Amino acid sequence: MRTGSNFLETNLNGFSGLCCHGEAFNPHFIGYPNSTEILGVSQDDRDNDPARLIGEIKSQAGALGGFRYFHDHDPRVLDIALEDPRCAKIILTRNPLDSYVSWKIAVATGQWKLTNVTRRKEALAEFDGAEFAHHVDALQDFQVLLLNRLQKSGQSPFYVAYEDLPSVEVMNGLARWLGLDEQVEALDDSLKRQNPAPVTAKVANVEEMETALSGMDRFNLSRTPNFEPRRGPAVPGYVAGVVTPLLYMPIKGGPEAEVINWLAGLDRVAVDGLISKMNQKQLRIWRRGNPGYRSFTVLRHPVARAHTVFCQKILSAGPDNYRKIRETLRRKFKVPLPKNGPDASYSIVDHRAAFEGFLEFLRVNLAGQTAIRVDDAWASQSQSISGFSDLSVPDFVFREEELAEELPHLARRVGRMEPGELVTAAKDTPYALEDIYDAALEEKVAKIYHRDYLMFGFGPWR
């Protein structure tokens, strides 16, 4: 709101080949506050089937039809519009502080449009820091959503800034972009800018506003950058009970084997007797067949997880799918790995140096600076859980050190009153983490997995 959209609409409707139907999908009215229908479609009809109104607008005779859409309008409409490449997208923006102050004044005066300056009502806006922060967050989230959706579908919107609205050249350029040959010589001047004074002259509590604005991180200085590729829900890795309605959503590099063995013990079956390697359809079937089921995942401390992955995947010849990565680490990244794996001459000093070399690789790999994939085994745990949420989030996120207490409690929730004990993970070989751990290692890992430390509240490993 208060971005100049009324002025933009008025000037779009000044072209005979264009017809904008106002806020066609405002949840509180249809088109305009006193309207009852658009092109024969009532508000009730629209709410029941928004696609019907869109169809009427698209098929109207004599003009290219459209409407104004705000971030709090019917969300079903946004998907329809964004997915249709034949729907032209005009994105109007304004300095969020200006739009906020304008909105506050409009609320205070009840004047949302001005056609006669002699009837202008005056009031000062009362700035509310928390309210403004919410206002900015909502705008930014919506703009990023539009940007990403249009990028992914290969569409190019037409951006108009509030300051561009009085430009007849910009309006004519917009008309050409929409495919019209028609041009106008002047813009509609019936609407007047309501509050032309500087922002500081329109706010009652200027000092409070300045203090609040000084505390806002306008340039995202405190944002933790994330260059990792997005991850999917990884459904084939999920493990479900045959009888017990529990669904384990593993994070690679964590205590997978220990948890899966525990889950198999609940059902008194072998590990391969559990349900795994599902696709999304099979997962939905399992869920429908297990009402009241519970899902969970397990976090491992980033230092312990990095060390385990290093020992199991990188240090020795390792699984086939990591051998090429291991050789690249040795040759290109100069990680001091023993050529044929550790032998009797491999010391704690060697192990510490090799692990630190691996951590340096993780630093640049997770920052998107290598050609090597960001593997599931060392991707950040926050990114893995984010991938889960594309399908569903786990009910419980446990920490490894809590499992001995939490898993039996979880089992009792789903009717297993005598759950077996969890066998804790064996120590890494050839050297355990405690053999080389110190504050310097913790600091290195904390910088690499800063998002995990921040999101999950990890402290020092010991």
Side-chain angles (χ1 to χ4, degrees):
M1 291 186 294
R2 316 309 294 161
T3 55
S5 61
N6 284 312
F7 185 75
L8 175 59
E9 177 177 341
T10 298
N11 282 292
L12 285 173
N13 286 335
F15 293 88
S16 61
L18 299 177
C19 182
C20 185
H21 293 279
E23 298 181 38
F25 296 95
N26 188 308
H28 308 297
F29 56 80
I30 182 168
Y32 307 95
N34 296 321
S35 297
T36 58
E37 54 87 25
I38 292 175
L39 299 175
V41 179
S42 69
Q43 185 171 343
D44 286 342
D45 291 338
R46 177 205 68 181
D47 291 343
N48 291 331
D49 184 11
R52 177 183 170 186
L53 178 54
I54 289 180
E56 293 293 335
I57 293 174
K58 288 171 65 175
S59 61
Q60 69 180 94
L64 178 64
F67 52 88
R68 283 189 283 154
Y69 184 92
F70 293 91
H71 69 275
D72 56 352
H73 286 186
D74 189 334
R76 297 172 295 178
V77 173
L78 185 62
D79 287 335
I80 295 172
L82 290 181
E83 291 171 6
D84 185 353
R86 291 182 58 80
C87 171
K89 286 82 176 176
I90 304 166
I91 300 179
L92 177 62
T93 62
R94 186 183 184 183
N95 180 312
L97 180 60
D98 286 337
S99 65
Y100 172 77
V101 171
S102 176
W103 171 67
K104 294 289 284 188
I105 293 175
V107 170
T109 62
Q111 189 172 58
W112 296 85
K113 285 185 179 180
L114 182 64
T115 56
N116 187 336
V117 293
T118 63
R119 297 179 180 176
R120 184 170 72 91
K121 299 177 182 179
E122 294 190 11
L124 292 178
E126 191 73 26
F127 183 87
D128 183 316
E131 184 180 56
F132 177 66
H134 177 75
H135 169 77
V136 172
D137 287 345
L139 285 178
Q140 289 181 339
D141 288 347
F142 185 56
Q143 289 172 6
V144 169
L145 171 68
L146 294 179
L147 175 65
N148 289 344
R149 291 280 296 273
L150 294 176
Q151 284 176 326
K152 291 174 181 177
S153 59
Q155 300 182 62
S156 299
F158 192 101
Y159 277 91
V160 182
Y162 178 82
E163 293 76 15
D164 297 329
L165 293 176
S167 169
V168 67
E169 291 85 1
V170 171
M171 289 301 111
N172 281 329
L174 174 53
R176 286 192 295 270
W177 182 76
L178 289 169
L180 272 67
D181 294 328
E182 180 185 1
Q183 300 283 270
V184 297
E185 295 183 358
L187 299 180
D188 188 297
D189 60 359
S190 61
L191 290 177
K192 307 295 187 297
R193 187 177 180 186
Q194 291 177 243
N195 307 290
V199 173
T200 52
K202 296 185 285 189
V203 176
N205 52 337
V206 175
E207 291 185 0
E208 183 178 333
M209 178 182 73
E210 291 176 343
T211 300
L213 294 178
S214 67
M216 295 185 68
D217 187 5
R218 182 175 179 181
F219 297 101
N220 283 333
L221 299 178
S222 60
R223 179 179 64 90
T224 302
N226 182 18
F227 302 104
E228 290 184 64
R230 295 180 182 272
R231 317 200 80 79
V235 173
Y238 295 1
V239 180
V242 179
V243 179
T244 306
L246 287 179
L247 179 67
Y248 174 40
M249 304 162 69
I251 296 175
K252 297 297 182 183
E256 295 177 78
E258 292 77 17
V259 175
I260 292 173
N261 281 323
W262 175 83
L263 190 57
L266 286 181
D267 283 354
R268 294 180 173 82
V269 298
V271 167
D272 59 8
L274 295 171
I275 301 172
S276 62
K277 299 180 181 179
M278 293 180 283
N279 56 36
Q280 292 191 18
K281 179 180 179 181
Q282 292 168 327
L283 177 61
R284 286 194 295 270
I285 292 172
W286 183 88
R287 284 171 164 165
R288 286 196 294 267
N290 289 274
Y293 78 90
R294 291 291 182 267
S295 59
F296 68 100
T297 191
V298 181
L299 299 173
R300 172 171 273 172
H301 193 284
V303 177
R305 181 168 176 256
H307 188 258
T308 295
V309 169
F310 170 70
C311 292
Q312 293 181 356
K313 312 291 188 185
I314 304 299
L315 180 57
S316 60
D320 290 342
N321 56 334
Y322 291 95
R323 286 180 182 174
K324 289 184 178 180
I325 293 178
R326 184 183 192 277
E327 288 306 306
T328 301
L329 295 187
R330 289 184 67 248
R331 289 185 290 102
K332 184 174 180 179
F333 293 91
K334 308 303 179 186
V335 178
L337 297 167
K339 184 175 181 179
N340 298 313
D343 55 21
S345 66
Y346 183 72
S347 67
I348 288 182
V349 174
D350 296 330
H351 189 72
R352 169 69 181 246
F355 182 51
E356 287 187 329
F358 176 64
L359 292 180
E360 178 58 23
F361 160 73
L362 289 185
R363 184 184 67 81
V364 294
N365 179 251
L366 294 176
Q369 295 177 300
T370 74
I372 297 177
R373 67 175 187 263
V374 177
D375 194 79
D376 289 342
W378 58 74
S380 66
Q381 296 176 89
S382 54
Q383 196 75 350
S384 296
I385 292 179
S386 178
F388 294 159
S389 67
D390 286 348
L391 192 61
S392 66
V393 293
D395 293 312
F396 302 98
V397 179
F398 298 129
R399 283 161 172 73
E400 182 179 17
E401 60 273 19
E402 302 170 342
L403 290 182
E405 178 181 352
E406 295 292 349
L407 287 185
H409 181 61
L410 176 61
R412 294 185 187 101
R413 280 175 174 261
V414 293
R416 292 299 190 187
M417 306 312 294
E418 297 182 1
E421 291 187 5
L422 175 76
V423 177
T424 56
K427 291 185 177 181
D428 298 330
T429 58
Y431 297 102
L433 177 57
E434 54 260 36
D435 295 333
I436 60 169
Y437 175 80
D438 58 21
L441 272 183
E442 182 77 49
E443 184 178 359
K444 287 179 184 289
V445 176
K447 289 180 179 178
I448 296 167
Y449 290 107
H450 178 68
R451 285 175 60 84
D452 283 356
Y453 278 78
L454 186 65
M455 185 172 292
F456 303 120
F458 286 115
W461 180 66
R462 285 285 189 265

